[in-house]
Amino acid sequence: MVLAALLLAYLAIVPTFVIMCVVLIFLDIHILPQIYISILDPVMSYTARQMGKRSMSAASLNRESEEQAKDASTGDYVDGNLIERDVTLCEGRIQMSNDFMIEEKGFKLQHPMYLLKSGVEAIIEDDVTKRFSSAELRVWNLLGRNQNYYFHNTSCKKTLTALWFLGFIIRYVFLLPSRLAVCFFGVGLTWTCGVVKNLFPRSVLGKWLTGPGYQRCMRLNLCPYAAIIRFHNPENRPKPNTICVANHTTPVDFAVLASDNTYAVIGQRQGGFFGLVENILSSAVPTIWFDRGEVFDRSAVTDRMKEHVATPGALPILIFPEGTCINNTSVMKFKKGCFEVGAVIHPVAIKYDPKYADCFWNSSQDGLFKYLVKLMTSWAIVVDVWYLPPETARPGEDGISFSSRVKRKIAECGGLVDMEWDGELKRNKPKPTLRLAQQKIFSGFIGADEGEKA
């Protein structure tokens, strides 16, 4: 009898959780995730203290605390820069330290050594490709990743193992079934609202579903991840007939931003479960899907953007100009297309707290659904979103310069590393033009004339 009662109580958790999420979201009450995080924080702090006490001396702990306070940009991440580089190869240029300069013109045997040195440094630590994998945390967050540091702390294994096991039971036995149910319910509700909106576009209900109703659906879709979103500077929220650009860590970025504002969406056409999600979004808001490999698609997208922003009262367009997901530590080169449309650009910086979940999506490793399940089995998503003041192109400023300026501001605001490399290096080899650019720069160092350069 007792066992049957316990089983019944367990089965009642899922519908109760779904109903509670729906009611709280549509009543615009966000207290439940706050309570959940307030319970998690002491556990995380205790874990950090235990690992710190057993792995460092008091002096080391103090020094670590001072370094964390000074370096706000790294936050909970380990600073992975093993090498202090004298020469850094960038796209189209070479960045040198003040202590390393080639002053003599004319070829000298030592001149090519900086290229050899840079190559060896890249083998030891590639500053670019490490942005395409999960960054290492300072302390273990009781999840499956970042366990190397934990296993070296044998003296505190029993305590941490007990905490991990308790967390495993909570996350997989209790939270995961409920979160999956909310996920499927939220996706279905979003599609239903989109269909109803398209049937009655000019009615009061249709207008509500385009704005507040749609945003509540997005918040419901974030419930499976216990998302806590802190929006900063809401006065800079993107306006109609503008383009919103943001750094990109995860597909959840869209839901995070769409929970506070309604956007038209531009993105790459996908298949599988991702394609299903795109179709659902297409039923709810204006969308433009393209194939990045097709030149015709790229030109058509630019024309569609110009047409959209010229339509009075059109929703702001949301674009992630990096074109791929980066691991929440940096911002990589922005594609220039949306910066040449002539519209007002609203930059947005997004930064996730890695203490509760690894939000980076490695698309070459995990499919979308598998990735979302990983997020559901994490603790929570805690994210800060900064709306930056709108930007317009300056006189004589081309798309590349404009995009770089906006990217730099996003990186500064979000405490991210501003990278000049193209995120497409995640999937493709460097273009031959990059090698040619470095060759031209080197020929300039040794004083080669134009004939020799050719």
Side-chain angles (χ1 to χ4, degrees), residues 51-61 64 138 149 153:
M51 296 180 72
K53 288 177 182 178
R54 288 170 168 81
S55 61
M56 300 181 185
S57 64
S60 299
L61 278 173
E64 178 78 6
R138 291 186 181 276
Y149 184 56
N153 288 268

